[in-house]
Amino acid sequence: MDMDIDKKKKRPSDTTASSPTSKRINKSDQQDIEELIKGSNDEAFHLSWETVNEILQVICSQKTPNDKWDMYAKSFYHKTYKLYTSFPKEQEDDEEEEEEEEEEEEEAEDVALDLVLSSSEEMSSEEDDEDMDMDMVNDDSSSEEYIPVEEDRDNLYDFRRPKLKGPYDFGSYTPGEQPKCIPYHLYQLVKEAADILNPSKWPSSNPNDREKLNVVERKIQFFYTYLHSHLPTGWTYSRETVFTLVGDCNPMPQPRYNTKHYTPISTIVRFSAQEFDAATNITRKDMIRIMSIVHSRTTPAYWKWSAQEVLFYCKLCSCFGIDYCRLETASEDDVSLMYAVRID
């Protein structure tokens, strides 16, 4: 009996049975998916967090995938499922321990915040009672029933969950040593946009060109928002100036990245566990944690994360041409700008 239970807990790769990955994808789509897998890692810029969440649940529960998923969803499923079935169990256990420790710390912060809020509410309630007593003494119509004003819980929620909006600076350069040109990987994205916007080709009636431009500009915006520390002061992107932006940069800088004058954000900074970025719905603390993971070039068991964290992770990798299923293949230059001090 125990053997049967253990066998149910094992993944497909742990048993002698063949992997069901190929059975979970229609054969008619297999070739297109394989081409997409080889040629792109941009799935995150095409998927909603709801779809990613559904895919992660299907993978972890070993359920049959949705036949109605589009090519990007199927590609993301295929890559993640393959990694899931071959991921080292020991590494996964270590990550689980770290996550549990982080959750305990966040719960402790929540308890502390609740105590502060509770104390504040009690003081406010006492003040209201005193005001009411004085009104009853001074008001001839004190026989009327006193109806306290209902507390605005939305304002309390807003206090507990501050909504943030980028761009974010997770470090700084020594004064006088700030970047004079945009990072190499951002230059590649801007150049890609410029190639699409070439006057001889644009405006294009080809929907594929418009889709490519939409994705690359979203990558540029993502880079600008979450890696803002590494941009020249005042730098912005626009279609009107895209050719000037490309012309102002050295396409082959040597060294490609010089971060010796860059200092990541200090460990004494304590970000609230309650805040969140309006665009990604994750905290700055989570952003730094994910950047640190990418910088480590050790592929994580990301299917255990929230869908929002997975999207941030995959988009970050995509902007640098990194395979999110194989961080080990990234170069030092690819992850150089993700250097960040873990905020524990």
Side-chain angles (χ1 to χ4, degrees):
M1 187 67 174
D2 292 338
M3 291 179 63
D4 292 337
I5 294 175
D6 290 340
K7 190 172 182 180
K8 288 180 180 179
K9 291 182 179 179
K10 291 181 179 180
R11 297 178 179 177
S13 61
D14 297 328
T15 67
T16 56
S18 60
S19 172
T21 307
S22 58
K23 298 178 183 178
R24 292 168 176 260
I25 301 176
N26 293 336
K27 291 183 179 180
S28 59
D29 294 336
Q30 190 68 35
Q31 185 175 356
D32 292 337
I33 294 174
E34 289 177 356
E35 291 179 358
L36 181 61
I37 289 173
K38 292 178 181 178
S40 173
N41 65 340
D42 298 340
E43 294 95 338
F45 285 97
H46 296 271
L47 301 176
S48 66
W49 75 266
E50 292 92 346
T51 300
V52 171
N53 186 58
E54 180 185 356
I55 294 171
L56 297 178
Q57 289 182 356
V58 166
I59 290 173
C60 293
S61 63
Q62 293 291 294
K63 293 182 179 179
T64 303
N66 189 341
D67 289 337
K68 295 182 180 180
W69 286 340
D70 63 18
M71 298 300 294
Y72 297 101
K74 291 178 180 178
S75 175
F76 177 75
Y77 166 82
H78 181 90
K79 291 179 180 179
T80 303
Y81 184 81
K82 184 177 180 180
L83 177 63
Y84 170 81
T85 57
S86 61
F87 200 80
K89 187 67 169 63
E90 297 77 12
Q91 182 179 339
E92 189 172 348
D93 291 340
D94 291 341
E95 290 185 13
E96 283 183 356
E97 291 181 4
E98 291 183 5
E99 290 174 1
E100 289 176 359
E101 291 177 359
E102 290 180 358
E103 288 177 0
E104 290 176 359
E105 290 178 0
E106 291 183 0
E107 287 177 1
E109 290 182 13
D110 289 344
V111 170
L113 182 58
D114 287 338
L115 290 174
V116 172
L117 291 173
S118 177
S119 175
S120 176
E121 290 174 5
E122 289 178 1
M123 292 178 62
S124 177
S125 177
E126 291 175 359
E127 292 175 357
D128 290 341
D129 290 343
E130 291 177 0
D131 292 341
M132 182 182 69
D133 292 341
M134 291 300 297
D135 290 340
M136 292 179 67
V137 169
N138 298 325
D139 191 352
D140 293 337
S141 59
S142 58
S143 59
E144 295 181 2
E145 181 180 2
Y146 174 76
I147 303 177
V149 178
E150 184 177 355
E151 184 177 1
D152 188 349
R153 307 303 297 183
D154 289 336
N155 288 340
L156 180 61
Y157 179 79
D158 288 342
F159 171 72
R160 290 176 59 92
R161 293 276 288 164
K163 184 184 294 185
L164 307 177
K165 185 178 181 180
Y168 300 98
D169 291 315
F170 293 120
S172 61
Y173 284 84
T174 303
E177 300 293 342
Q178 292 90 344
K180 301 297 189 296
C181 186
I182 59 176
Y184 173 78
H185 286 86
L186 179 57
Y187 164 80
Q188 293 294 325
L189 295 175
V190 175
K191 185 177 184 303
E192 185 178 348
D195 290 341
I196 298 173
L197 290 168
N198 189 309
S200 64
K201 304 175 183 178
W202 191 266
S204 173
S205 59
N206 188 339
N208 290 334
D209 289 338
R210 294 195 295 272
E211 176 62 20
K212 288 179 181 178
L213 181 62
N214 176 52
V215 171
V216 73
E217 287 186 334
R218 289 171 64 192
K219 287 185 180 182
I220 293 171
Q221 182 61 41
F222 185 92
F223 204 117
Y224 171 84
T225 303
Y226 303 105
L227 293 152
H228 190 261
S229 308
H230 300 286
L231 303 186
T233 303
W235 187 90
T236 57
Y237 166 84
S238 71
R239 293 185 181 181
E240 290 72 21
T241 61
V242 65
F243 300 104
T244 301
L245 295 176
V246 171
D248 289 343
C249 294
N250 177 6
M252 297 297 292
Q254 293 296 333
R256 181 166 292 179
Y257 288 118
N258 183 3
T259 56
K260 66 180 181 179
H261 298 291
Y262 178 75
T263 303
I265 201 163
S266 173
T267 55
I268 64 173
V269 175
R270 300 291 295 181
F271 291 137
S272 169
Q274 307 300 328
E275 67 175 27
F276 70 103
D277 170 49
T280 62
N281 204 31
I282 65 175
T283 68
R284 285 181 292 179
K285 184 176 179 180
D286 287 331
M287 294 176 195
I288 291 176
R289 174 177 58 83
I290 293 171
M291 288 182 183
S292 298
I293 290 172
V294 176
H295 186 265
S296 73
R297 290 188 286 175
T298 301
T299 307
Y302 61 81
W303 50 85
K304 294 189 173 184
W305 301 354
S306 70
Q308 292 89 344
E309 291 172 331
V310 171
L311 279 174
F312 184 86
Y313 165 72
C314 292
K315 287 179 179 180
L316 187 63
C317 290
S318 177
C319 287
F320 288 83
I322 299 171
D323 185 346
Y324 56 82
C325 289
R326 295 187 299 168
L327 293 188
E328 292 77 6
T329 62
S331 69
E332 290 187 13
D333 284 337
D334 291 337
V335 302
S336 176
L337 300 188
M338 262 76 83
Y339 173 53
V341 175
R342 290 287 294 270
I343 305 296
D344 297 321

